Amino acid sequence: MDRWVGKVAVVTGASSGIGAATTKALATAGMVTVGLARRLDRIVALRRDVPAEAANRLHAIRCDVTIEEDIRAAFHEIEKRFGGVDVHINSAGILRRSVRLLDANNTQALRDVVNTNLLGMVLCSREAYLSMKKRSVDGHIVLTNSIVGHMVPPLNTLNIYTATKHGITAVVETLRHELRLEGSRIKVTSISPGETNTEMNPKSEAPNNPMLEPENIADAILYAIGTPPGMQIQEIIVKPVGEAV
């Protein structure tokens, strides 16, 4: 991580779960870290959980990743205030457990999941890439995926969520080829966690299931971005010991 000290990291979905844990970890590791989310107060509150010098490096900008104007405005502000993006972490994601694909009148719920988990992630990655390219930065883009982005579990509660995660698996490979073919040194990595104790998937709802903590995923992200410039980790799958899936 030494080469990233003082550089700018941007984290979407920074108000809770993996995004919050990653925001704190990056600031503590020495990066100027900008958290993006709709709940601005919760990002600001993260400063209480890190050392004082790290708190001074942790910043918050409101952004709804389902709204392109919000994304463009957030990255414009990042460029104006901090110079641009060096590392970008996509962590924003939602799940609508009560909605099946075949339920009547489910269109908006399905759109919300697709626009947050997939399209929003692509648009944020695009803006991060454009910032890196403009400044000739050999940056790193990380997309938070899932183990269900590599298989489909026999559950009735994931609806289009699994499809969006499979989409991320394809997007990562597509980005890698686009970057490779233009001769870019920007890296792209997919992080695929197993069950993780977050607001979206609280351990209290399945206390006997083995689960990861968000900090475990943040550690994996820091490992991936801390690799040497010529080394790219395309995929990391992280599971809790004993997970059945």
Side-chain angles (χ1 to χ4, degrees):
M1 286 294 294
D2 289 349
R3 73 189 181 102
W4 296 122
V5 171
K7 302 298 184 180
V8 178
V10 175
V11 184
T12 68
S15 61
S16 66
I18 293 169
T22 303
T23 299
K24 292 187 290 184
L26 290 167
T28 301
M31 297 196 73
V32 175
T33 306
V34 183
L36 305 183
R38 291 172 298 178
R39 298 174 293 186
L40 207 60
D41 58 318
R42 296 186 62 166
I43 306 175
V44 173
L46 299 178
R47 294 173 181 159
R48 299 195 295 260
D49 301 329
V50 298
E53 63 169 338
N56 292 330
R57 290 190 291 267
L58 200 161
H59 307 274
I61 295 176
R62 190 191 180 283
C63 179
D64 183 339
V65 300
T66 68
I67 301 173
E68 185 174 5
E69 291 79 6
D70 269 23
I71 295 171
R72 289 180 182 274
F75 279 87
H76 177 74
E77 184 173 347
I78 290 164
E79 181 176 3
K80 183 178 178 180
R81 290 173 57 186
F82 307 107
V85 185
D86 300 297
V87 171
H88 179 67
I89 315 295
N90 291 286
S91 289
I94 62 171
L95 169 62
R96 297 288 184 256
R97 289 186 181 276
S98 62
V99 180
R100 300 189 314 141
L101 291 179
L102 301 177
D103 284 344
N105 304 314
N106 63 359
T107 305
Q108 189 58 54
L110 298 181
R111 287 187 193 280
D112 290 343
V113 176
V114 172
N115 289 339
T116 303
N117 297 4
L118 189 57
L119 184 57
M121 192 169 286
V122 171
L123 296 182
C124 288
S125 297
R126 179 194 69 193
E127 295 303 310
Y129 158 78
L130 291 172
S131 175
M132 295 171 191
K133 182 179 181 180
K134 178 180 179 180
R135 295 154 41 246
S136 300
V137 169
D138 294 342
H140 203 138
I141 298 171
V142 177
L143 294 88
T144 303
N145 197 341
S146 168
I147 58 168
V148 303
H150 306 275
M151 46 81 74
V152 179
L155 302 173
N156 199 32
T157 56
L158 296 179
N159 55 75
I160 208 163
Y161 179 85
T162 302
T164 64
K165 295 302 183 178
H166 275 72
I168 292 170
T169 301
V171 163
V172 169
E173 183 70 351
T174 302
L175 290 176
R176 186 180 72 84
H177 285 306
E178 287 192 9
L179 293 166
R180 174 182 64 83
L181 291 169
E182 74 170 36
S184 175
R185 300 279 292 178
I186 297 171
K187 297 196 247 183
V188 59
T189 298
S190 165
I191 304 285
S192 294
E195 279 210 85
T196 305
N197 182 24
T198 64
E199 289 183 5
M200 190 169 66
N201 187 45
K203 188 170 181 61
S204 59
E205 292 185 1
N208 297 321
N209 285 6
M211 276 195 177
L212 298 162
E213 293 298 327
E215 290 74 18
N216 302 143
I217 313 307
D219 287 343
I221 291 171
L222 263 64
Y223 170 73
I225 67 174
T227 52
M231 174 183 172
Q232 177 169 250
I233 296 178
Q234 183 172 338
E235 177 68 52
I236 298 181
I237 295 177
V238 188
K239 293 184 180 183
V241 174
E243 182 172 70
V245 176

